[in-house]
Amino acid sequence: MEPGQEAPDFEAESSKGSVKLSSFRGKKVVLYFYPKSFTPGCTREMERFSELYDQFKQNNAEVIGVSADSISTQKKFAEKYGNKFPVVADKEKKIIASYGALNEKGTSAQRITFIIDENGKIVEVLRKMKKAEEHADKALEIVTKLSSSG
């Protein structure tokens, strides 16, 4: 998926109950994919999104994390680190695949972040940042710019 394209809708179980992407219309959504819960990079990334979560909310944005982990793993991961936003279990990798975020082996998600506008269009895609947690900072920067420009 690339900027300008419609973000594929999905409904899935998350650490905070069922999540449907289209139910966030009218808000910006930061949808980030990560390889595996409880690994160092993914943990730092989630913690950073959590630290910045209130600032995302101030900019009318929701954060959703997605990995191929099971729902029980996602709930434990979110609970252990006091996560404030939903992390989605995509064990069948349908959501990951629909965003073109599968790794080369097809076993898990790549670390990719999509910034989606209020109308469900992808406005920015973040790939290959130096550090996992930089996804959160860069996403917030983009969301803040979108808020001030429109």
Side-chain angles (χ1 to χ4, degrees):
M1 299 302 306
E2 296 301 326
Q5 291 182 292
E6 186 84 18
D9 196 16
F10 63 84
E11 188 165 1
E13 275 307 302
S14 84
S15 57
K16 301 215 180 275
S18 185
V19 169
K20 185 172 173 63
L21 183 65
S22 57
S23 70
F24 294 103
R25 287 285 160 90
K27 286 184 169 196
K28 291 175 275 300
V29 176
V30 175
L31 180 66
Y32 81 95
F33 293 89
Y34 61 96
K36 193 159 178 48
S37 297
F38 294 107
T39 56
C42 296
T43 299
R44 285 195 316 272
E45 184 177 27
M46 186 180 76
E47 287 177 318
R48 188 65 182 144
F49 269 114
S50 264
E51 285 167 16
L52 299 175
Y53 186 66
D54 291 339
Q55 292 174 58
F56 281 107
K57 295 297 272 185
Q58 287 165 10
N59 284 284
N60 192 33
E62 186 53 67
V63 176
I64 303 170
V66 180
S67 79
D69 294 300
S70 69
I71 188 61
S72 63
T73 298
Q74 296 298 51
K75 285 180 176 173
K76 286 177 197 152
F77 187 45
E79 201 173 289
K80 179 170 181 176
Y81 296 103
N83 195 23
K84 297 177 179 177
F85 55 85
V87 284
V88 169
D90 185 21
K91 206 147 171 51
E92 283 79 43
K93 304 178 204 69
K94 288 181 181 153
I95 303 165
I96 297 167
S98 73
Y99 279 83
L102 270 174
N103 66 3
E104 287 172 13
K105 294 179 188 154
T107 54
S108 66
Q110 299 175 53
R111 190 176 316 282
I112 300 178
T113 302
F114 294 87
I115 291 86
I116 301 165
D117 73 9
E118 294 87 347
N119 302 311
K121 287 253 189 287
I122 296 170
V123 290
E124 193 82 46
V125 182
L126 306 177
R127 295 180 170 93
K128 297 187 178 17
M129 308 288 284
K130 280 191 179 127
K131 293 182 176 158
E133 58 271 28
E134 289 176 6
H135 279 257
D137 293 285
K138 187 67 179 165
L140 181 60
E141 189 183 302
I142 293 163
V143 161
T144 304
K145 269 188 199 151
L146 288 173
S147 292
S148 61
S149 68

